[in-house]
Amino acid sequence: MIPFRRTFFALATTLLACTTAQADQKPIWGLQAYGDICRVKFGQKEIKPGVWRLIKVDKGCDIANFKGYAMHGDSHIRFYGKQNSLIASADKGADGQWRGVIGDGDPFEMVYFGPAKGNKPAKTTTNTQTSAAVGKCVTYINAKKRCASPEDTTYKAFETIALQPLAPLNLYFMPDAASRVQSVTPRNICFQDVRHCTERYFEKEIWCQVRVGNESGWILRKDANHVYASKGCG
C-alpha cells in the first residue's frame, strides 16, 4: 500500500504538472476507449484504502462506471469501479502520453484537456468585416477578411449542435494535432448531433468529436487564428 502523502505527491508531479491553473481548479483529463471519451477530474478524497475519488465532468459515461483511481509511482495509474474492481490501467510513455488497456485488453488512453471551467477566453465582441479589425479577431478559414461570429468562437458544455466544415479537415484519433490522423473529411459534409466538444484553454482551441461513416474521431473546430467548422449546416 502506498501512503497518502507519497501517492498524492506522485499525482501532483504528473497529472497536475500540465497546468498553471490555481490549486482549487483541478485540471480536466479525458479517458478514451471504444471510440468514446469521458472527461474527469482527479479528486483528493480517499474512498477506499489507497483509492481516491474520480470526479466526472460530463453527465453519463458510456465507457465504464469509473469510481476511483490509484497512482503507483509517477508513471502508472489504475482506475476502479464498484466493489473496488479494476477497470483500466495506463502507463506514462517516454513521449509523455498515457496509454494502457481497459476491460478485456482493449486500447485505453488518457489525454490532458486543460484547466477546469472558470478560466475561459473572453468572447469575441466584434463581427465587423473591415480590414482594420481583422488582425484583432479570429477569422473563418475560407474568408480570412471576415471576423468570426461569437457562436463559432465559443462553445457550451452539453450542447448538441451541427457543424459545417469550411475546408477538408483532418480527422484525429484524439483532440490533439499531435495525435494520429485517421482520415480527411470532405468539405461538403454536415456533422449532425455533435455532442462532445472540448476547449483547450492555453492553445485557444476547440475540438469536437464527430463520426464519418463508421469512423469516429476529432476535428479542430477553432484555434487562435481561424474557425475551421461553423455552427449549423446549409
Side-chain angles (χ1 to χ4, degrees):
M1 187 72 64
I2 300 177
F4 167 72
R5 291 185 179 178
R6 181 179 171 187
T7 303
F8 183 70
F9 176 76
L11 175 66
T13 56
T14 54
L15 302 181
L16 305 183
C18 295
T19 179
T20 57
Q22 296 177 358
D24 62 339
Q25 295 175 325
K26 300 179 181 67
I28 295 176
W29 288 75
L31 308 181
Q32 180 154 327
Y34 311 127
D36 202 355
I37 195 163
C38 292
R39 295 187 300 166
V40 300
K41 293 186 287 185
F42 293 91
Q44 301 172 23
K45 180 180 179 180
E46 190 174 25
I47 56 176
K48 294 180 180 180
V51 179
W52 313 95
R53 182 188 177 198
L54 194 67
I55 304 168
K56 297 176 183 176
V57 175
D58 300 318
K59 294 181 178 179
C61 177
D62 296 331
I63 296 177
N65 189 19
F66 295 107
K67 293 295 183 181
Y69 70 96
M71 288 294 299
H72 295 263
D74 60 358
S75 59
H76 182 75
I77 187 170
R78 295 178 182 177
F79 296 93
Y80 296 90
K82 293 182 178 180
Q83 285 78 47
N84 207 25
S85 58
L86 180 64
I87 295 177
S89 63
D91 294 286
K92 185 177 182 181
D95 59 357
Q97 302 299 313
W98 293 81
R99 300 182 182 90
V101 294
I102 187 172
D104 295 326
D106 291 290
F108 173 78
E109 294 195 33
M110 188 170 75
V111 60
Y112 175 66
F113 272 15
K117 291 296 179 183
N119 284 340
K120 297 182 68 174
K123 293 184 177 181
T124 305
T125 57
T126 177
N127 194 31
T128 180
Q129 297 188 27
T130 62
S131 59
V134 167
K136 303 177 182 179
C137 67
V138 176
T139 62
Y140 293 102
I141 189 62
N142 63 340
K144 297 182 180 179
K145 292 186 178 181
R146 182 160 67 95
C147 291
S149 167
E151 69 177 5
D152 287 325
T153 58
T154 59
Y155 90 105
K156 297 179 181 179
F158 313 124
E159 181 183 34
T160 300
I161 60 175
L163 287 177
Q164 176 72 63
L166 305 177
L169 301 178
N170 288 333
L171 184 69
Y172 293 91
F173 179 67
M174 301 288 284
D176 191 320
S179 178
R180 172 170 55 87
V181 177
Q182 300 181 125
S183 61
V184 178
T185 66
R187 179 175 179 174
N188 60 350
I189 194 172
C190 175
F191 296 116
Q192 299 283 358
D193 299 325
V194 178
R195 295 182 176 89
H196 296 293
C197 290
T198 185
E199 183 178 36
R200 300 187 66 179
Y201 173 67
F202 292 110
E203 293 82 2
K204 298 182 179 180
E205 296 175 348
I206 297 176
W207 291 79
C208 293
Q209 188 177 37
V210 299
R211 181 172 291 276
V212 181
N214 295 325
E215 192 172 42
S216 177
W218 293 80
I219 60 170
L220 177 61
R221 177 181 167 188
K222 171 259 178 191
D223 62 17
N225 300 310
H226 303 298
V227 168
Y228 300 94
S230 60
K231 192 174 180 180
C233 297

